[in-house]
Amino acid sequence: MSILCIKIGGLSLWSILRKNIGKDLSRISMPVALNEPLSALQRLSEELEYSELIDKACECEDPHDRMLYIAAFALSPYSTSYYRAGQKVFNPVLGETYELIDEDRKFKFIAEQVSHHPPVSACHGESSNFMFWEDARLKYKFWGQSMELYPTGTIHLLLSDKSEYYTWAKVTTCVHNVLNFQSRWIENYGEMLITCSTGITCNINLSKSSYFSTKKYDIKGDVISGDGEKVRHLFGMLKEGIYSGAENGEHTCIWRPNLMPPNFETYYGFSSFAMELNHLPEELKEWLPISDSRFRSDQRLLEGGHLAEAEEDKKRIEQIQRDVRTKREEAGEEWRPVFFEKNEHNESWTYK
C-alpha cells in the first residue's frame, strides 16, 4: 500500500508520524503545515457561534423543549466538520489568551491556556441569558492513516433566568487520510450525555462511518424526563440540520447551520464566524493584552501563506516557552493564570 506523503522542507511528514503510531501526540511538536491559522483558544470560541439556540431555549416554557435546544447547541460546533480541511489548531503557549465580544450575538468570551503539561485551555462566555464555561483537555493519537482527537473535561451551561444547570462532554473527532490532503476528511462520533439539574437528560449518538454504513454525520437522540420516560426524539445530519419528532412522520426543524461563505474551500473550510476570529482593527490593539492569540506571529505568517517563515517562527516561540519554563523551575516558581483559578477538589478551572 502506497502512502501519499506531504513534504515539508525536504522532510516527509510520514517519517515524523510513523514513530508515534498509537501514541499521544500532544507533547510532540508537529510541522506547521498541519495547522490552520487559529489557536485552540479561538477554536473554543466557535462553540458559541450558535448561541442563539440558548436564547431560544430560554424562551421555552416546557423544560423538555428547552433540552432540545440545548442539545442542538451542544451539537452545533460539529456542523463545520464536513467542510473543515482537517488541519489542527495551534497549541497555545502557557499564558496565551483570547478575548471576544460579539455584539451581534450579545455575548462576551475569554479563554486562557492555564497549563502546558498537560495542556489545558479554560474558557468562559456569558450573556444576559447564560453563563458557559469549560476546561478543554485534548489528546491526539495517530493510527497510520487517521488521527483521533480525544477531548476530556466537562462543558457547563447555566441558564440565568431558569436557574437550570447543564453539563456534557465532547465526543471523539477523527481526521481520516491525514497524510493525503486531497482526500482528508473529518468525522465526529460517540455517545453524548447531557444532564440538567432538573433531572432531565438527553442521550445522543453520533454515528461512526463504516464499510457497511454511509451514515456519516448522522445523529439520533432522546430527551428523558426525570421519571425515566422518553418524551422527545431528535435526529438529523450535522451538516444539514436537526429535527424533533418522528423520523418517518411529523417532525419540526430545531436548527440548521448557516450557509458557508463562497470562498470557504480556499480558507481551511472556515465558517464566516471562524474567518472573523483573527480580525484585529487598529482601535482594538491598544485594549488587548499582548498575550492574545491575534498577536501570534507564527499564526499570522501561516495565515498570510508564508509557510517556511511560519515554521521557523513556531520553533522560535516553542523554544522561548521551554527556556522560560526551565528558568521558572530553577527558581522554584509556580505559574499562576491571570483570568482563571483551579478548583483543587475536582481539578476544574473557573473564571475568577
Side-chain angles (χ1 to χ4, degrees), residues 79-347:
S79 63
T80 60
S81 293
Y82 179 77
Y83 305 100
R84 212 79 170 202
Q87 311 294 96
K88 67 182 291 291
V89 292
F90 276 81
N91 293 330
V93 297
L94 185 63
E96 185 172 333
T97 61
Y98 183 71
E99 298 178 57
L100 177 66
I101 297 177
D102 194 310
E103 295 180 351
D104 294 327
R105 296 170 179 82
K106 295 180 173 56
F107 70 75
K108 297 183 293 184
F109 174 88
I110 186 168
E112 181 178 7
Q113 190 70 6
V114 295
S115 174
H116 183 57
H117 288 310
V120 181
S121 305
C123 71
H124 175 95
E126 62 180 61
S127 76
S128 59
N129 282 332
F130 68 84
M131 189 179 296
F132 170 94
W133 69 98
E134 70 171 295
D135 48 278
R137 306 145 195 260
L138 196 63
K139 290 185 177 181
Y140 301 82
K141 284 191 178 180
F142 175 63
W143 300 109
Q145 288 284 5
S146 63
M147 184 183 295
E148 283 189 310
L149 289 71
Y150 304 97
T152 60
T154 303
I155 299 174
H156 308 261
L157 177 67
L158 178 67
L159 301 189
S160 304
D161 60 339
K162 305 294 182 183
S163 297
E164 291 179 353
Y165 170 60
Y166 298 81
T167 61
W168 64 91
K170 296 176 181 175
V171 297
T172 299
T173 295
C174 183
V175 182
H176 295 275
N177 301 328
V178 68
L179 296 170
N180 188 341
F181 180 80
Q182 298 299 324
S183 60
R184 193 182 300 166
W185 60 282
I186 305 174
E187 71 171 330
N188 310 102
Y189 48 78
E191 300 289 332
M192 178 183 287
L193 173 63
I194 305 174
T195 65
C196 179
S197 54
T198 61
I200 298 172
T201 60
C202 185
N203 298 307
I204 307 170
N205 175 263
L206 286 78
S207 298
K208 183 178 182 179
S209 62
S210 69
Y211 291 110
F212 308 102
S213 173
T214 58
K215 294 183 177 180
K216 291 187 294 185
Y217 313 110
D218 279 15
I219 67 100
K220 290 185 180 182
D222 295 293
V223 175
I224 313 297
S225 70
D227 298 326
E229 179 184 358
K230 293 182 181 180
V231 292
R232 300 286 190 278
H233 179 66
L234 67 154
F235 64 95
M237 294 186 68
L238 292 172
K239 67 185 181 75
E240 295 179 359
I242 297 175
Y243 303 84
S244 173
E247 295 185 38
N248 298 314
E250 185 177 349
H251 53 261
T252 303
C253 181
I254 304 171
W255 165 80
R256 285 191 178 95
N258 297 326
L259 293 175
M260 296 295 289
N263 58 339
F264 73 90
E265 299 99 334
T266 59
Y267 204 76
Y268 301 92
F270 284 178
S271 66
S272 297
F273 183 87
M275 286 185 180
E276 297 173 356
L277 296 178
N278 270 335
H279 183 53
L280 186 59
E282 286 297 324
E283 61 270 20
L284 188 59
K285 290 182 179 180
E286 61 180 289
W287 295 103
L288 286 174
I290 195 63
S291 57
D292 195 278
S293 298
R294 298 175 183 88
F295 292 118
R296 277 196 63 155
S297 52
D298 53 351
Q299 191 170 297
R300 286 295 188 178
L301 285 166
L302 178 63
E303 184 179 37
H306 307 292
L307 185 62
E309 294 90 339
E311 182 67 39
E312 289 304 311
D313 204 47
K314 179 172 176 287
K315 292 178 180 177
R316 178 185 65 84
I317 292 172
E318 290 172 346
Q319 185 59 50
I320 290 174
Q321 178 168 232
R322 285 190 287 268
D323 293 343
V324 170
R325 181 183 181 182
T326 298
K327 291 180 180 179
R328 189 169 57 247
E329 290 177 346
E330 289 175 349
E333 297 174 352
E334 181 181 355
W335 172 262
R336 294 188 181 278
V338 176
F339 299 109
F340 292 83
E341 57 187 357
K342 188 176 184 179
N343 185 325
E344 298 297 341
H345 177 67
N346 57 15
E347 298 292 307

